[in-house]
Amino acid sequence: MAAAAADALDAKQGRDIVLLDMGRLLEILDLFVIASGTSKRQVRTLAEEVDTRLEEHGRAPLRVEGMDTAEWVLLDYGDLAVHIFQPEAREFYALERLWGDAPRVSWTPPPTDGSRQAAD
C-alpha cells in the first residue's frame, strides 16, 4: 500500500517522496509515506489522489487531518500514515530528521508514458 500511495503522489507531481519503515520504532503503524506539494491546491490534490488509489485496493483512511488548511495533510490508514506537506511545514516539522532512526524503504517511481514509448 505504501508503494501505491507513493505512486499516486508521483502521478500528481508530489515532490521529495520518502518511505520510512516505522515498524521497529512505533508499534501502532508500519510505514510513513512523506511528500511535499507546492501549494494548498496541490497538497489537497495529492491527498485526494492517494485516497482514490488506495480505495481501489479496498483501503479507506481511518481519519484525515489538515485538509482545511492543507499545510500538512495526514491520511491515517492504521498501518500506514501518509504525510503531505507544503515545503515550509515539512521543513519545520522535519519528520525525516525526527524519525532519523527509521530505515528508508526503497521505492522507484513508475516509468512515465514517454519513457515507456521510448523503450518500446
Side-chain angles (χ1 to χ4, degrees), residues 45-73:
T45 297
L46 291 166
E48 290 165 359
E49 185 68 16
V50 169
D51 184 46
T52 298
R53 295 271 186 109
L54 293 189
E55 192 173 274
E56 292 171 0
H57 293 279
R59 300 290 303 268
L62 301 174
R63 68 185 173 120
V64 177
E65 300 286 339
M67 286 292 273
D68 52 336
T69 63
E71 295 291 325
W72 173 7
V73 172

Side-chain angles (χ1 to χ4, degrees), residues 23-120:
R24 292 187 179 154
L25 301 173
L26 293 174
E27 293 181 17
I28 58 173
L29 61 86
D30 295 327
L31 291 158
F32 276 177
V33 177
I34 305 168
S36 295
T38 58
S39 66
K40 289 181 182 188
R41 185 177 201 175
Q42 188 188 23
V43 167
R44 286 185 187 111
T45 297
L46 291 166
E48 290 165 359
E49 185 68 16
V50 169
D51 184 46
T52 298
R53 295 271 186 109
L54 293 189
E55 192 173 274
E56 292 171 0
H57 293 279
R59 300 290 303 268
L62 301 174
R63 68 185 173 120
V64 177
E65 300 286 339
M67 286 292 273
D68 52 336
T69 63
E71 295 291 325
W72 173 7
V73 172
L74 167 65
L75 302 165
D76 178 0
Y77 290 90
D79 60 339
L80 168 68
V82 180
H83 300 271
I84 308 166
F85 292 95
Q86 287 195 45
E88 300 82 19
R90 185 169 181 174
E91 185 176 327
F92 180 79
Y93 290 103
L95 293 185
E96 293 101 323
R97 194 169 53 244
L98 178 66
W99 297 105
D101 292 341
R104 290 188 180 225
V105 175
S106 178
W107 168 78
T108 304
T112 62
D113 289 339
S115 65
R116 274 189 227 135
Q117 290 173 351
D120 290 341

